[in-house]
Amino acid sequence: MQEALAAMGSIVFDVNLLFLIFVTTILGVVIGVLPGLGSTTGAALLLPFTLTMEPVHAITVLTTIYVSATFAGSITAILINTPGTSAAAATTFDGYPLAQRGEAGRALGIAVVASTIGGIFSIIILCIAAPLLARVAYEFRPPEYFALTVFGLSMLASISAGGAVKNIIGGVFGVWLATIGAERVTGIERYTFGHYELYEGLAFVPVMIGLFAMSELLMQSKRLKEVAEAIGLKAVKLPTKEDYKKIWRTVLRSCGIGTFIGILPAEGATVASMIGYSEARRWSKNKEEFGKGSVEGIAGAEAANNAATGGAMVPTMVLGIPGSGTTAIILVGLMVHGLRPGPYLFTEQVDTVYQIFGAMLVANFMFLLMGLYAAKFFARISLIPTTLLWPIVFALCVIGAYSLNSSLLDIWIVMVFGVIGFFARRHGFAVAPIAVGLILGEMVETNLQNSLKMFDGEWWLIFTQPLAVVFLLLAFLGLCGPYIFQKLTQRS
Amino acid sequence: MELRLVTIPTIIAVFSVIIIGLSLQLDTSPPMIVGDSMQARSFPIFLMVLNLVLCVMLFLQLVKAKPAPVPLEGHETWGSMILLLLFFALTITTDMFIAIPIIMFLLSYLWGERRLIIAALNAILTPVTLFFLFDKVLQIRFPRGIITNWYYG
């Protein structure tokens, strides 16, 4: 523990790292306020820039983008009724009405304070829960890992509003994409069609850039006629004593909800903020204020979505199972930099892990300062014309994708997955399940193969492993629970 | 029954069947290599069979829910996709750093930017900045083409 605290504290003396966090927080807030970009796209675009950095610095860039962009989505949600990120959608319900009443500064003040508390709370939980979970995960063998990845994939069912079946189809497609390349045991090439670059499999980064950034570019072309009406902002106001009295219970509740939702594999800040908001309403004494500018509504949504960021890092770092779309990219970042996520990360690279946690903590304080003193400036950035911004994103996509392996094939992969992602989203399929499926694909196949070897080909012996059964039951509940619950409710 | 309701499940089903067909053509390994594990084709075939089951479920859901038709996109979206193809053609025939500014400028114009000088400046300055950033700082060598041949010598 002392070692961990020392590693976290050491970043305070690393001036380069602090400066990097400062710059990346500004960048993250800019990314967060630009409608359409968001933390996932931002992290995907910035990943190539981290290649030459040290692992701690590289992952710090990605995690800082994650926490700061998640917060920054609330700035435009409050001022122009357009959530900068999907996680800030619930903030618009009360943030914008409060801003319309001339209290934009108060709304932003509550959002930034609630976000910071949520973020810090979840990082404290991350520091405590991650090593404990890692200790449990040491005992995992292939059957447990196989069952765990199946559980992770089953959670994709509720990753977006597209519908469980569509999400699982996306996840299965992602897992299939992971089978492209040479098969690990036999070396037989699968679906490479003679392209030797595909022998090692599809590179994660170009697929991510294509699915998240390039598809978003095509989606933005549909929204060119949308006009945002900005509300004037004089200064951001810190919450008053009265405000704190009103929101402290909501903030604490949302911190717990957000962290828990974040820890669940494949669930992220968007789901957390929606649940945080609805729970704030359910427990509030002033339900009638909700939807008309309730400070509890803003605090509930914002504390939950930022609490989910730390929570989502738990399965990502400890089990190698991404907790959200952005953590899927952070996971790729860890792998690109030679850090294999899993329980051994907590014994072999303790310093690195806790420095990353410490950097996330610092990033939370940085966006608190920026939210309080520079929100007005950042809100103006959101008015950059789409016609100039998205061509820049296009250039970043192609140059960034090429730079990873100096391969033109990676650029074509970006294009192809951009178009696939666009058509998927057009028909209500989310792209995050495809990305998560791609990441978990190798893990699920390899652990199934190893389990089969372990049990001499008798696959049903997986069900003799208690922990594996628990995970498979959870997966079953994750897939069928909502339907069973719905039927039971209808009957009663 | 409306055609649009069956289109998406049919596309996914056809894709799954094609992948199953391709998987069946994959080589098989002798038992001494595979041992008690599975052949390279088994897992993808399992995934695609699962996809076919999900397709049936999706079809039933769509028939029951009858979602509203997805409106057809405007010329900006289809034009953007054509520009991606143009980017491919220009990159392999000329230079990536000729293709990027042209596509950036055309994209801006297509999306309604009529301040041509600003669009042109954006289209030139962004790739130039990125080129030097990646070339000097990240030490990336870009693919050979008209401009890069001249630059690298």
Side-chain angles (χ1 to χ4, degrees), chain A residues 52 190-191 221 387-388 402 426, chain B residues 23 40 44 73 77 108 113 122:
Chain A
T52 51
R190 297 188 288 200
Y191 325 110
S221 68
T387 52
L388 298 176
Y402 176 83
R426 184 178 187 267
Chain B
S23 306
E73 281 74 15
T77 308
S108 287
E113 181 60 66
N122 189 37

Side-chain angles (χ1 to χ4, degrees), chain A residues 141-419:
Chain A
R141 291 171 309 150
E144 283 83 13
Y145 264 116
F146 167 70
L148 182 68
T149 41
V150 171
F151 168 56
L153 288 168
S154 75
M155 296 305 284
L156 288 177
S158 53
I159 203 168
S160 77
V165 175
K166 284 182 176 177
N167 289 335
I168 298 170
I169 289 176
V172 171
F173 178 61
V175 175
W176 173 75
L177 289 174
T179 66
I180 293 174
E183 202 265 339
R184 203 182 56 88
V185 177
T186 59
I188 290 172
E189 285 182 43
R190 297 188 288 200
Y191 325 110
T192 57
F193 304 106
H195 287 279
Y196 71 91
E197 295 105 321
L198 290 175
Y199 190 81
E200 296 278 317
L202 270 181
F204 288 151
V205 181
V207 176
M208 301 287 167
I209 294 176
L211 284 177
F212 291 108
M214 194 57 89
S215 74
E216 185 59 43
L217 183 147
L218 293 170
M219 291 300 287
Q220 287 294 322
S221 68
K222 290 168 69 174
R223 300 178 192 137
L224 293 170
K225 291 175 183 75
E226 287 174 16
V227 180
E229 197 180 321
I231 283 180
L233 169 72
K234 283 176 188 161
V236 178
K237 287 180 193 159
L238 275 172
T240 59
K241 241 183 192 174
E242 284 302 307
D243 287 334
Y244 279 119
K245 268 186 194 169
K246 253 184 166 178
I247 63 169
W248 72 269
R249 278 197 193 90
T250 307
V251 170
L252 280 183
R253 193 184 310 113
S254 284
C255 283
I257 291 170
T259 309
F260 176 72
I261 300 281
I263 290 174
L264 292 178
E267 301 296 326
T270 310
V271 179
S273 67
M274 288 296 174
I275 296 177
Y277 179 82
S278 60
E279 287 305 306
R281 189 174 184 279
R282 190 212 295 256
W283 295 96
S284 172
K285 287 174 189 161
N286 309 302
K287 285 191 180 71
E288 69 288 346
E289 282 182 19
F290 277 75
K292 294 171 191 162
S294 162
V295 288
E296 289 169 88
I298 301 169
E302 279 302 306
N305 70 22
N306 265 66
T309 57
M313 289 298 285
V314 176
T316 309
M317 304 281 275
V318 181
L319 305 169
I321 293 179
S324 66
T326 317
T327 48
I329 293 170
I330 294 173
L331 193 67
V332 172
L334 285 165
M335 292 193 268
V336 166
H337 286 279
L339 299 169
R340 186 81 197 167
Y344 292 97
L345 202 61
F346 288 80
T347 47
E348 289 162 9
Q349 278 153 322
V350 184
D351 285 1
T352 308
V353 169
Y354 282 94
Q355 279 175 336
I356 292 168
F357 293 171
M360 283 180 78
L361 201 61
V362 174
N364 272 282
F365 286 108
M366 292 261 186
F367 79 62
L368 171 71
L369 291 178
M370 281 180 205
L372 289 178
Y373 299 108
K376 194 176 170 181
F377 165 72
F378 287 120
R380 284 183 183 277
I381 290 175
S382 67
L383 302 174
I384 288 177
T386 315
T387 52
L388 298 176
L389 173 71
W390 286 91
I392 297 175
V393 173
F394 168 80
L396 279 170
C397 283
V398 292
I399 296 176
Y402 176 83
S403 65
L404 287 161
N405 298 311
S406 298
S407 164
L408 276 175
L409 182 71
D410 285 347
I411 298 180
W412 314 142
I413 289 173
V414 168
M415 306 280 170
V416 169
F417 279 92
V419 175

